[in-house]
Amino acid sequence: MSAVSTLTFRELSEKMQQRVANGETPASALPNLKSALRAFLANFGVSEESTIGSLLRRSYYRNLRLHVEKLQAEGRDKSYIANRKSLMGKWCSLVTHLDRIEAAASNCMSPFQSALNELLTQTQTTVAGLARAVGISKSTLAGWLKGALPNPRAVPSLKRLERFFALESNSLLNMAYERQYFRPVETAPATVIPYRERLAKATKDTYRLKQVSDSFAREWSDFVMHKTEKLPELRRYSRGVWVTTDLVTEGETDRNWYCFMKGKYVPTAKIVWIHAMSFLGWLNRARELGGAGLSIDEVQTLAWFSSKRMVHRYMNWRIERADDKVHGGVLDFAGLVASLNHPQHGYLAQMPELREGLPESHRPQVWKDACQEAYAWAAETKKNLLVAGVEHSREPMAPIKKVLELDDPLEAVADMISRMKSCRPATGGAYEAIWARDLLLIKMMASNPLRAKNMKLLTYCADNTGNLYRRPDGSWFIRIEKRAFKNAKGAAKSRDYDMPVNHVVWGDIERYLNVYRPMLPDADKVDFVFLSSTDEKQEGYVGVWKSLNRRVFYLTRRYLWDCPGIGTHGFRYIIGTATLKKAPGAWDAAAAVLHDEVDTVKAHYAHLRPSDSGSFVHMLLDSAFARM
């Protein structure tokens, strides 16, 4: 704590004024905050020029108790005392916040880490002995002593440590958890995401086809060739072309051959393959489990997509499996069936020879009539589903609902980053490099909320030819060709991405690229900005951090308060919501930062229109309302 021991109460007061100037603390609260601090200092005979010492740190809760006892002796009522405790809590939180930032910047121990090490030294015991005496995990305690911050489930263990050392209640909790709404509540139930619970159950009952015959592999390759070649032999709808790209996160292998054609990656092939394997797997599923009960040899053909009866049964089963919800996956499958069987340019309608691949009992008498029937039914079904409205079996914003409900959701991300900073490993080396990489990743997603694929493929070159580049004035930008985006045929079709990185992130970028990135595997072999700390190589293909999205899930689950974990896409929801809450109706600005179409943004964030616009109007008219 030597790095911050010289901070005086006058300097602390100036820090609070700066928070007011930055809009982090309401200006109306500043007089009461200063009044409470003056009274608190007078209680202990301390001047503003004195250093803070332990008065608002280790001894804060004992001192607060003494201060409350004095107020009670003066006859102050309960509401006055409660308000004084709340005001002093903000001063204590600010000291803890400043201590954490200073400790991370000077590579010192965090306040929590320092306190634990001091307590361990005082007791003259071992980590194992203390863990055994308190009744907590040895590895958990060792991790805290090395700099890790406790997760929300650690509150009971921290309470036992406080009792073991006869500390004032919440003294360790105050150092471990920073903000008021960031502090854990022992009785708070864990966040339950119904979709994840249903998904966890469904993954134990998989039904996708896992064994593919050589004949089906050839059939599939012919189909992908038809969808990708420049001059197809069969008729093909002008918008039915599947694009190929060399911008991939992994190379071709025996496991992903189905989404490659002549060495090029075919994104749509992967999507359609999943639909095909699910449908054919259901055909092979036992009848008592809701499937069609066909043998594995009988299902090895795309011709099944022309069986209206089986397609109908499968879609009904999918809806029932999703708790009777007609979700987007069902709608997409209906669209696929319609496109494959289109009378003029449907692939199956032009391939009558595929009829022979069906079991004799399921072969239609007239192939053309079967395709026509399947097409008409699927097209009509899709139309009816759209009119009725498609339900979401998954609510993508549910895991961050409490974050999105904040007045400024980005504040929760700022808290997350603050916690990550305080967990800087003191050991240096690879662990510190991973910490710096993760910190930059989260900051970059807050500044430029790109999709996971774009983050994985983000490059940097010293000659400024990569995606991440530095301009002559020292500012950092990200540029990405429109063909690299998922929505290349939509919002991205008219413009490349060339957006600034927030200036707060510039220092992190330079530190990571110059100091930490060279410590990670394959840093000298590839130009990708973000690298894995483990060996994720495959033969002939190195460097792409395939598990980036899983890492983001881990980091948000650990550091983003009251969040069960989100992927990179969750940051798009946070940034989009934060933008529209700050400026209701600024759909163009939100679409620009998300690199998406205005209509798409309006559809996803429609829930913000009435309430937040009303709040915005009230804020604009605050001066008049104040006189009422």
Side-chain angles (χ1 to χ4, degrees):
M1 297 297 297
S2 59
V4 292
S5 60
T6 59
L7 185 69
T8 67
F9 286 102
R10 184 179 297 278
E11 292 170 335
L12 179 66
S13 183
E14 291 171 354
K15 295 287 187 182
M16 186 65 82
Q17 286 179 310
Q18 185 61 49
R19 291 175 70 89
V20 171
N22 293 340
E24 298 175 276
T25 299
S28 59
L30 187 59
N32 290 334
L33 284 167
K34 287 190 172 183
S35 176
L37 181 61
R38 284 195 298 270
F40 186 80
L41 297 182
N43 192 164
F44 297 97
V46 176
S47 72
E48 288 189 340
E49 304 303 328
S50 301
T51 57
I52 294 173
S54 64
L55 194 66
L56 293 180
R57 292 191 177 105
R58 282 280 303 278
S59 304
Y60 168 70
Y61 283 96
R62 179 179 64 82
N63 295 331
L64 181 65
R65 176 171 52 81
L66 295 174
H67 185 54
V68 167
E69 289 174 357
K70 181 176 181 298
L71 294 176
Q72 290 172 336
E74 293 175 354
R76 301 288 187 179
D77 60 36
K78 291 183 179 180
S79 61
Y80 180 94
I81 293 174
N83 184 54
R84 178 61 59 83
K85 289 170 68 176
S86 174
L87 292 169
M88 288 309 304
K90 289 178 171 58
W91 288 108
C92 178
S93 294
L94 178 57
V95 172
T96 305
H97 176 71
L98 295 173
D99 285 352
R100 280 204 183 96
I101 292 176
E102 186 64 30
S106 58
N107 203 19
C108 297
M109 289 189 290
S110 69
F112 175 72
Q113 183 185 8
S114 177
L116 278 187
N117 277 277
E118 185 179 340
L119 290 171
L120 186 66
T121 302
Q122 290 174 357
T123 57
Q124 297 183 343
T125 186
T126 64
V127 175
L130 178 58
R132 188 166 50 251
V134 178
I136 62 178
S137 164
K138 175 186 172 183
S139 61
T140 297
L141 181 59
W144 293 346
L145 289 165
K146 290 178 181 177
L149 278 181
N151 61 37
R153 297 185 299 277
V155 175
S157 297
L158 290 173
K159 286 290 189 182
R160 287 197 294 273
L161 273 172
E162 290 173 350
R163 289 194 295 269
F164 182 82
F165 290 109
L167 300 175
E168 291 288 329
S169 179
N170 294 329
S171 56
L172 286 179
L173 260 68
N174 183 63
M175 288 182 279
Y177 306 102
E178 184 167 349
R179 287 183 179 262
Q180 185 68 28
Y181 67 81
F182 207 61
R183 194 168 295 156
V185 180
E186 290 183 71
T187 56
T191 303
V192 176
I193 310 297
Y195 170 76
R196 291 185 180 178
E197 289 189 329
R198 189 168 66 251
L199 184 63
K201 181 180 179 181
T203 51
K204 297 177 182 178
D205 180 26
T206 56
Y207 64 94
R208 286 183 185 171
L209 189 66
K210 294 181 176 61
Q211 296 179 10
V212 175
S213 66
D214 291 340
S215 62
F216 182 82
R218 289 191 297 271
E219 192 176 298
W220 177 262
S221 295
D222 290 343
F223 173 54
V224 177
M225 175 69 77
H226 163 75
K227 300 296 286 186
T228 57
E229 63 183 344
K230 300 292 184 184
L231 298 173
E233 182 179 352
L234 302 176
R235 292 185 302 276
R236 185 180 64 199
Y237 185 46
S238 59
R239 295 186 61 185
V241 182
W242 291 357
V243 297
T244 61
T245 179
D246 51 5
L247 298 172
V248 293
T249 57
E250 59 181 329
E252 183 176 0
T253 66
D254 291 339
R255 298 185 64 181
N256 65 7
W257 61 271
Y258 53 83
C259 55
F260 282 83
M261 177 54 60
K262 296 181 179 179
K264 296 281 189 176
Y265 178 62
V266 188
T268 310
K270 183 174 183 178
I271 298 172
V272 176
W273 175 266
I274 293 173
H275 278 300
M277 291 302 99
S278 297
F279 177 44
L280 301 183
W282 172 83
L283 290 170
N284 181 228
R285 186 180 175 90
R287 285 181 176 273
E288 55 268 24
L289 297 177
L294 300 172
S295 71
I296 192 168
D297 293 331
E298 291 177 313
V299 303
Q300 304 279 345
T301 177
L302 289 172
W304 283 108
F305 279 87
S306 292
S307 173
K308 176 205 158 186
R309 176 169 168 267
M310 289 301 184
V311 166
H312 187 191
R313 285 179 56 189
Y314 170 66
M315 288 177 63
N316 274 330
W317 180 79
R318 284 282 303 273
I319 293 171
E320 183 180 338
R321 184 178 169 90
D323 290 344
D324 210 33
K325 288 183 171 62
V326 182
H327 53 81
V330 174
L331 186 70
D332 291 342
F333 184 78
L336 174 61
V337 173
S339 67
L340 286 171
N341 291 283
H342 192 280
Q344 279 76 48
H345 43 70
Y347 181 74
L348 295 181
Q350 302 176 79
M351 294 289 289
E353 58 269 30
L354 294 181
R355 171 182 175 276
E356 303 305 317
L358 291 170
E360 190 171 349
S361 58
H362 289 274
R363 287 177 195 164
Q365 296 253 329
V366 181
W367 179 252
K368 183 178 179 180
D369 292 346
C371 292
Q372 175 62 41
E373 184 183 24
Y375 166 75
W377 178 85
E380 184 68 20
T381 298
K382 182 179 179 180
K383 179 181 177 180
N384 292 337
L385 291 177
L386 284 171
V387 171
V390 179
E391 299 179 72
H392 290 290
S393 65
R394 174 179 69 94
E395 179 47 65
M397 297 187 186
I400 48 175
K401 181 180 178 182
K402 294 184 178 179
V403 172
L404 299 181
E405 287 174 347
L406 297 173
D407 291 336
D408 185 357
L410 201 55
E411 280 293 330
V413 179
D415 282 333
M416 174 185 177
I417 290 171
S418 180
R419 285 172 61 79
M420 291 178 68
K421 284 182 177 179
S422 65
C423 287
R424 179 175 184 172
T427 53
Y431 289 106
E432 191 171 1
I434 295 169
W435 167 82
R437 178 205 63 189
D438 292 346
L439 188 63
L440 176 60
L441 176 61
I442 298 300
K443 279 192 170 186
M444 192 88 84
M445 288 192 301
S447 169
N448 303 74
L450 297 166
R451 293 179 175 87
K453 175 188 172 184
N454 300 119
M455 277 295 181
K456 291 177 185 179
L457 297 176
L458 203 67
T459 61
Y460 168 75
C461 300
D463 60 0
N464 261 351
T465 57
N467 303 123
L468 180 64
Y469 71 101
R470 187 180 184 185
R471 291 191 170 183
D473 62 358
S475 60
W476 286 87
F477 274 67
I478 295 176
R479 61 185 167 206
I480 303 175
E481 292 182 4
K482 55 192 175 186
R483 68 188 182 94
F485 284 92
K486 173 186 176 183
N487 54 348
K489 291 186 177 181
K493 67 181 178 182
S494 59
R495 66 187 190 277
D496 293 331
Y497 182 93
D498 194 1
M499 297 287 285
V501 179
N502 191 285
H503 67 91
V504 173
V505 191
W506 296 353
D508 298 87
I509 293 174
E510 292 164 10
R511 177 180 59 181
Y512 170 72
L513 293 177
N514 296 325
V515 179
Y516 294 112
R517 186 181 178 279
M519 300 180 187
L520 298 172
D522 297 326
D524 58 340
K525 298 177 182 177
V526 295
D527 296 327
F528 298 116
V529 173
F530 297 108
L531 302 174
S532 172
S533 60
T534 59
D535 188 359
E536 290 187 334
K537 302 176 185 178
Q538 63 184 59
E539 189 175 350
Y541 200 85
V542 298
V544 177
W545 186 11
K546 293 187 293 184
S547 58
L548 179 148
N549 218 31
R550 289 201 300 272
R551 183 64 177 178
V552 172
F553 187 92
Y554 163 78
L555 292 172
T556 51
R557 184 175 184 180
R558 182 175 182 185
Y559 297 113
L560 187 59
W561 189 251
D562 210 6
C563 174
I566 56 173
T568 55
H569 211 83
F571 280 81
R572 294 174 64 81
Y573 295 131
I574 292 175
I575 305 307
T577 301
T579 301
L580 292 169
K581 283 198 169 191
K582 285 287 186 181
W587 302 107
D588 288 335
V593 75
L594 298 174
H595 200 59
D596 218 329
E597 292 179 317
V598 173
D599 289 342
T600 303
V601 175
K602 285 184 176 180
H604 278 83
Y605 299 92
H607 61 286
L608 294 174
R609 294 184 191 180
S611 59
D612 287 291
S613 294
S615 299
F616 183 63
V617 171
H618 289 172
M619 183 182 69
L620 292 175
L621 304 177
D622 262 353
S623 59
F625 275 107
R627 297 175 58 191
M628 300 181 191

